[in-house]
Amino acid sequence: MDASELEQFVATQSAGLQEARVARVVCVTSGVVFELQAGDARRELALLTLPGSARAFVLDANARAQVHRDIERIDPTWIAPLDPRPPRWPQETTVLDALRAWLLRPAAQPPEWLQLENAHLVALRCQSGDRRLWIDFERRDSVRRAESFVVLAEL
């Protein structure tokens, strides 16, 4: 993802994700997925890596289920659980390979980044000409003290 793609991603996705609550964080073999809840809308924000490349994606919650149904009609073996061991990505791996690994991942294991659960996504941001994406989260405890977290992804 180059700097201009990242700027466009932040510009188009920020408003829809702002103040969304992190329902779950899932570490996948190719990156991390934030399952977000904003009102009745559920979305997934994924940061996926490949050799020499990284991408950010946002999908509505029903998009993943629809892709599963469509692919199952074509070839049911494609939605079989993936090998749980981390893959050794060959150099010729494409962005679509990582996207497939994310979309067709097996059921989530217990999240590893528990401190982000129930936090709210406050902002997506980047600097012009830069390939780094900052994702700002905030969580308030029972006495309304704010705790901030920042995820920095170089895309």
Side-chain angles (χ1 to χ4, degrees):
M1 193 169 232
D2 66 25
S4 63
E5 288 175 311
L6 181 57
E7 288 178 47
Q8 183 178 2
F9 175 80
V10 169
T12 59
Q13 299 298 329
S14 283
L17 297 177
Q18 208 159 14
E19 294 303 318
R21 182 183 61 81
V22 178
R24 186 167 61 159
V25 180
V26 181
C27 294
V28 294
T29 56
S30 56
V32 64
V33 177
F34 299 97
E35 293 183 8
L36 304 169
Q37 179 82 39
D40 292 337
R42 287 187 74 89
R43 292 191 174 148
E44 292 184 0
L45 167 61
L47 304 174
L48 304 176
T49 60
L50 293 168
S53 176
R55 296 276 182 204
F57 298 95
V58 173
L59 286 181
D60 290 327
N62 63 349
R64 183 171 177 259
Q66 184 60 48
V67 168
H68 271 254
R69 287 189 297 273
D70 292 345
I71 290 173
E72 185 176 32
R73 281 195 294 273
I74 297 167
D75 185 348
T77 63
W78 282 21
I79 63 165
L82 299 173
D83 186 338
R85 294 170 295 174
R88 303 225 188 288
W89 295 110
Q91 287 300 319
E92 64 274 4
T93 301
T94 68
V95 171
L96 290 176
D97 294 325
L99 184 57
R100 178 188 177 277
W102 170 40
L103 290 171
L104 303 178
R105 68 190 183 272
Q109 299 301 313
E112 295 179 21
W113 294 9
L114 289 175
Q115 68 271 21
L116 288 174
E117 288 191 356
N118 293 313
H120 287 83
L121 192 149
V122 177
L124 287 179
R125 53 191 171 92
C126 66
Q127 294 179 346
S128 182
D130 194 355
R131 292 187 356 232
R132 289 179 289 178
L133 171 66
W134 281 267
I135 308 171
D136 298 319
F137 296 95
E138 186 176 272
R139 183 178 62 210
R140 297 198 179 271
D141 63 16
S142 59
V143 291
R144 308 292 294 160
R145 285 186 301 235
E147 191 174 10
S148 298
F149 304 93
V150 176
V151 173
L152 174 61
E154 188 164 333
L155 305 173

